[in-house]
Amino acid sequence: MSLSQALSLMPRRALLEGPTPIQRLCRIEDALGSSLNGVRIYAKRDDLMSLGGGGNKLRKLEFLLGDATAAGADTIIATGGRQSNFTRLTAAAAAKLGLACELVLAPFVPREGDEYDRNGNVLLDDLFGARIHHLPAGVNSTRFAEERFEELRLAGHIAYMATFGGSSPVGSLGYVACVLEIQTQSNDLDVDFAEVVVPNGSSGTQAGLVAGYRALGLDTTRVRSHSVLAPTTSAVSTTVEIANAALTLLGSEASLSSNDVNLSGDQLGQGYGVPTPAMVEAVRLMASREGLLLDPVYGGKAFAGLLADISAGRYAAGDAVLFIMTGGIPGLYAYAGDFLGTDRKAPT
């Protein structure tokens, strides 16, 4: 059975309008000049999805909500940090599909104040009509969600639990399918990408990509990620676990080990959601040269990693590299102070 046929057997709800475009970042190439050494930089615009502000989590939600509706669920419970992109898009998708949605948000990032607690994704969660449970520090969000699941069951509802970041084996199928999309576009563009670069948070995006590469018999190490959440060893282990479970779901006997995962922890900084100078500069470069926006938690750090890799000579002259823009733009508003600091004058 082909990979496409195996995916077609999985329950799925359409949330995308079609393949997201791949665009060359010519102005950034011009800005990097001779230091680029002839490397070509492309971006796959997974931020360009109309539903809920767009972003990579919608690919995961197509399969997660397919699984949920196949089970007859009427309510979706999703967990995440205060500024979670996944919970924001879960709320948007639930609104579109007519499902009730409850979000369990915990303070995973050491930030506070109205800019972070009431703006960005939090504002959109409310607009999409989700019931939001804001947990204080020290409360276990998974346990809270499980208890809420049981309360809903006793009240006669059928709830579906969507794990942190949507990074379950089912959710990762979204990026298994994305591999087929990238392969088609690569052929159409006549470009062979030396690496596909992504952030690795809860690991589902990279897990789906490497599972898809393995299923097609391709080199999985051509998927390179930059960890933004966990230390390298832990991130690799989680990626392998999810990818292998996804392959099993698809009926594949293939498997992966840690040697099959290409992951760098150099951009993590002081931890998840904590800005770094390299991230700020990467976001500014993308915005000022291309007019495109990266988020400060995921894409900003991953693009900073790509720029560092180019500077370090990781790629050969003429190589083409594909950066997946995973969205998360609403998060910029929750980090305004990091971009409009005291050293930058306000406009007059």
Side-chain angles (χ1 to χ4, degrees):
M1 183 187 302
S2 70
L3 179 57
S4 178
Q5 290 172 324
L7 285 165
S8 72
L9 298 176
M10 306 301 297
R12 187 175 185 178
R13 296 298 300 268
L15 300 174
L16 280 64
E17 296 77 28
T20 59
I22 291 178
Q23 302 168 345
R24 189 165 175 181
L25 302 181
C26 296
R27 288 268 295 151
I28 285 182
E29 291 179 8
D30 290 343
L32 296 178
S34 60
S35 67
L36 191 62
N37 191 32
V39 174
R40 294 166 291 158
I41 308 174
Y42 292 79
K44 182 159 177 60
R45 301 290 308 280
D46 275 10
D47 59 316
L48 278 185
M49 301 173 184
S50 61
L51 181 62
N56 68 319
K57 308 299 186 181
L58 284 174
R59 290 192 185 273
K60 301 177 181 182
L61 283 162
E62 286 199 323
F63 288 90
L64 288 167
L65 295 184
D67 194 37
T69 53
D74 57 27
T75 305
I76 307 299
I77 303 174
T79 61
R82 193 81 75 213
Q83 285 293 333
S84 168
N85 297 309
F86 174 63
T87 58
R88 181 245 310 170
L89 286 172
T90 301
K96 180 177 177 63
L97 298 180
L99 299 168
C101 180
E102 299 203 9
L103 306 180
V104 180
L105 305 182
F108 294 156
V109 176
R111 296 176 76 92
E112 57 185 17
D114 278 358
E115 179 179 277
Y116 189 81
D117 291 336
R118 295 172 59 83
N119 206 342
N121 286 306
V122 177
L123 168 62
L124 298 182
D125 293 340
D126 181 73
L127 290 178
F128 293 138
R131 178 178 180 179
I132 306 172
H133 305 275
H134 287 289
L135 303 187
V139 176
N140 186 301
S141 59
T142 299
R143 185 175 299 115
F144 182 96
E146 290 171 346
E147 291 172 354
R148 183 60 188 149
F149 179 95
E150 182 63 14
E151 289 173 355
L152 288 166
R153 187 189 69 80
L154 293 174
H157 294 281
I158 301 175
Y160 183 89
M161 289 274 288
T163 56
F164 179 66
S167 293
S168 66
V170 170
S172 72
L173 296 178
Y175 271 90
V176 175
C178 186
V179 169
L180 295 175
E181 189 174 304
I182 291 171
Q183 290 299 106
T184 298
Q185 291 175 307
S186 175
N187 291 334
D188 291 344
L189 293 168
D190 194 24
V191 177
D192 181 26
F193 295 111
E195 285 188 338
V196 176
V197 180
V198 293
N200 185 309
S202 52
S203 300
T205 299
Q206 186 176 17
L209 291 171
V210 296
Y213 267 57
R214 176 50 52 87
L216 293 177
L218 302 174
D219 179 5
T220 62
T221 63
R222 293 178 76 169
V223 179
R224 178 164 173 81
S225 75
H226 296 273
S227 179
V228 302
L229 173 63
T232 302
T233 301
S234 176
V236 168
S237 176
T238 301
T239 301
V240 169
E241 180 181 355
I242 296 172
N244 281 334
L247 287 167
T248 299
L249 280 177
L250 293 168
S252 173
E253 295 182 358
S255 64
L256 299 108
S257 71
S258 60
N259 293 330
D260 298 309
V261 177
N262 178 355
L263 183 145
S264 168
D266 292 346
Q267 300 301 317
L268 180 58
Q270 295 182 30
Y272 177 69
V274 180
T276 65
M279 177 278 292
V280 172
E281 290 308 309
V283 170
R284 285 194 167 278
L285 177 66
M286 184 71 89
S288 64
R289 288 289 178 164
E290 297 285 352
L292 302 178
L293 298 174
L294 297 171
D295 82 292
V297 178
Y298 297 91
K301 286 186 175 181
F303 194 63
L306 172 56
L307 295 174
D309 281 345
I310 291 171
S311 178
R314 177 178 180 83
Y315 304 108
D319 273 354
V321 183
L322 180 63
F323 177 71
I324 298 184
M325 292 183 62
T326 51
I329 293 168
L332 277 170
Y333 301 102
Y335 284 79
D338 295 281
F339 294 93
L340 301 173
T342 56
D343 59 332
R344 296 187 182 274
K345 295 182 179 179
T348 57

